[in-house]
Amino acid sequence: MLTGKTIILGITGGIAAYKGAALCSKLVQAGARVHVIMTDSATKFITPLTLQTLSRNPVHIDTFDERDPSVVSHIHLADHADLIVIAPATANAIAKLAGGHADDMLSTTLLAATCPVLVAPAMNVHMYEHPAVVSNLELLASRGVMFVEPGTGQLACGYVAKGRLAEPEDIVTAIDSWFSRGNKLKGKRVLVTAGGTMERLDPVRFLTNDSSGKMGFAIAEAAVLMGADVTLVAGRTTAALPAGVKVIRVESAQEMLEAVTGRYDDMDIVIKAAAVADYRAVHVSGQKLKKNGEKLTLELARTVDILETLGQRKHHQFLVGFAAETEQVEHYAMDKLRRKNCDLIVANDVSMEGAGFNGDTNIVQVFGPDGLVESMPMLTKRETANRLLELIAQRIAASGGIGE
Ligand code: CTP
């Protein structure tokens, strides 16, 4: 699986550095070209000779130890890497990457690199849960850094808790699935809608909903990582925009309808994760509405159902809708799937803790024309997005590809 791939393995100074040797060996066995960069602290735990022998390449430690005068090592390494893996990643290494520091060979190479980065943290549980570490991890995740989460078990410091470096096999599996993921939607044009719409009442007031855009953004991001050409039509959102996608900002349901239908013919896959208003104000005041009397009645009119419109005009596209429900999830989801002519409906019971608007997790059930296809446990929105896109890719492949 990793033949032809160049991987930089960054080993930083924690007791789990010894597992870096097993990881290096497994990556080489899987066919990867591995270049190891160790921090000074890592060399206190394991010798560079071990990593040199396993990787069959010189180990880099000192930025100024330039052995080949024809190149600048950290730039050369960064330019040729398909992936950088930091395992184990200490709290300090994570902080340096988040802060953009460049004071040793690993941190300078990371700043010079444009390839994806996978981080496998390992540290004491209290360090892992420290707000500074949590916010650094969140910042890195928002920049597209991938993680292999630490496991729970006996830590070197005596605690039995979360913080143990993921097993080398699990890190290799994550690397493997990342590389294979890169081809699953190669060449496919994917349109994702995200966030809530804003229906204006006057220049300073509007009707909207709690959607953060996180689920749609996670889908757009995952689709990019699977090789797709992604267009994101985003309404009102609070989450940070994903990288590598074309973003079209809209406010109202009508603007979203126009943005989506105008691009529909060119798309292979359309995923409607947006929370679209079902009603808009009949009269939008050009001036700020003045209060007048004890009661105010707003007259609202139905918006066009974008998903239903797309379902009616569907020719080759694979169409995925969302259904936010608070009861009888399967019944309503299947009804929406049929009414809106979707290929899949992603349903969530938004009354459940850990599901729905605003949070970082979701609990979804995916329905196809024949009923339940997959019931996912509580997962991060990112992981939910990965699984959903895997499912879409499988279904498209099983049907012989788009448009056939
Ligand atoms: N949707 C849409 N246009 C609308 C309303 C909804 O495209 N005007 C889409 C949403 O993006 C979502 C799906 O329809 O993919 C289901 O949205 P949801 O709010 O759960 O359902 P509704 O169709 O509005 O049905 P109901 O109000 O009966 O639950």
Side-chain angles (χ1 to χ4, degrees):
M1 277 308 294
L2 299 181
T3 304
K5 303 294 180 205
T6 300
I7 297 177
I8 295 178
L9 172 60
I11 302 182
T12 69
I15 181 64
Y18 78 93
K19 287 193 190 171
L23 176 58
C24 179
S25 166
K26 286 182 193 303
L27 291 174
V28 172
Q29 282 169 38
R33 273 187 298 269
V34 181
H35 294 279
V36 177
I37 303 178
M38 296 174 78
T39 60
D40 269 334
S41 320
T43 65
K44 306 264 194 291
F45 291 96
I46 183 162
T47 73
L49 182 60
T50 306
L51 278 308
Q52 177 181 302
T53 310
L54 291 170
S55 69
R56 298 174 205 144
N57 277 310
V59 172
H60 301 264
I61 302 161
D62 179 358
T63 326
F64 300 103
D65 179 18
E66 294 284 14
R67 286 165 239 175
D68 177 356
S70 66
V71 297
V72 176
S73 307
H74 62 280
I75 305 294
H76 187 72
L77 281 169
D79 284 350
H80 290 84
D82 294 303
L83 179 73
I84 301 184
V85 180
I86 313 177
T90 58
N92 185 45
I94 288 165
K96 279 167 63 172
L97 182 56
H101 294 224
D103 61 355
D104 62 9
M105 184 64 187
L106 180 59
S107 52
T108 35
T109 307
L110 278 164
L111 277 202
T114 52
C115 67
V117 176
L118 180 87
V119 169
M123 64 196 77
N124 162 272
V125 61
H126 296 313
M127 292 171 82
Y128 189 63
E129 288 170 355
H130 192 285
V133 176
V134 170
S135 93
N136 285 334
L137 292 171
E138 282 172 2
L139 179 61
L140 292 178
S142 74
R143 287 189 199 144
V145 169
M146 300 172 285
F147 293 93
V148 183
E149 286 206 9
T152 299
Q154 179 80 45
L155 303 181
C157 50
Y159 284 87
V160 177
K162 187 165 179 170
R164 199 166 73 167
L165 180 69
E167 291 307 321
E169 304 77 57
D170 296 334
I171 300 175
V172 174
T173 305
I175 293 169
D176 239 20
S177 71
W178 184 79
F179 277 116
S180 59
R181 194 181 286 167
N183 290 321
K184 288 198 175 146
L185 292 177
K186 205 170 194 77
K188 298 276 185 279
R189 284 155 303 180
V190 177
L191 188 146
V192 181
T193 69
T197 60
M198 286 165 64
E199 307 302 328
R200 286 261 160 222
L201 301 175
D202 70 12
V204 295
R205 300 184 181 96
F206 51 82
L207 300 174
T208 190
N209 56 61
D210 273 334
S211 174
S212 60
K214 284 181 184 169
M215 191 64 240
F217 285 7
I219 293 170
E221 208 163 55
V224 170
L225 293 178
M226 288 171 76
D229 175 4
V230 181
T231 304
L232 176 68
V233 175
R236 183 169 176 268
T237 58
T238 51
L241 280 171
V245 304
K246 289 186 219 72
V247 181
I248 294 136
R249 280 284 186 191
V250 295
E251 270 203 1
S252 64
Q254 181 61 28
E255 280 179 29
M256 187 171 278
L257 173 74
E258 287 162 18
V260 172
T261 50
R263 291 167 178 81
Y264 191 44
D265 288 345
D266 296 333
M267 294 297 155
D268 299 308
I269 300 168
V270 176
I271 306 172
K272 285 231 65 253
V276 186
D278 292 321
Y279 293 91
R280 60 175 173 80
V282 171
H283 306 289
V284 181
S285 170
Q287 306 301 327
K288 186 183 167 207
L289 291 168
K290 289 287 177 196
K291 59 180 160 302
N292 186 6
E294 283 307 306
K295 285 188 178 170
L296 171 71
T297 306
L298 291 173
E299 194 185 351
L300 302 177
R302 279 288 287 273
T303 56
V304 176
D305 192 309
I306 305 169
L307 187 57
E308 200 169 318
T309 310
L310 299 179
Q312 285 159 1
R313 295 189 196 169
K314 188 165 80 168
H315 33 102
H316 66 281
Q317 296 90 344
F318 193 94
L319 186 59
V320 183
F322 270 69
E325 308 294 348
T326 54
E327 54 171 354
Q328 297 185 60
V329 174
E330 175 159 6
H331 170 76
Y332 287 125
M334 288 306 290
D335 173 59
K336 276 175 200 172
L337 181 127
R338 293 191 184 113
R339 232 175 345 107
K340 305 191 188 193
N341 194 22
C342 294
D343 296 287
L344 290 176
I345 280 273
V346 184
N348 52 10
D349 182 340
V350 286
S351 64
M352 276 168 82
E353 193 160 333
F357 288 156
N358 249 315
D360 289 318
T361 57
N362 214 347
I363 309 167
V364 306
Q365 290 183 300
V366 185
F367 296 90
D370 300 325
L372 184 66
V373 177
E374 188 172 341
S375 186
M376 298 187 200
M378 191 199 292
L379 296 170
T380 59
K381 286 188 172 169
R382 188 177 282 251
E383 195 44 38
T384 307
N386 283 338
R387 292 216 195 171
L388 174 63
L389 287 166
E390 291 273 346
L391 196 60
I392 294 171
Q394 272 168 24
R395 295 222 141 197
I396 290 172
S399 70
I402 299 272
E404 289 176 26

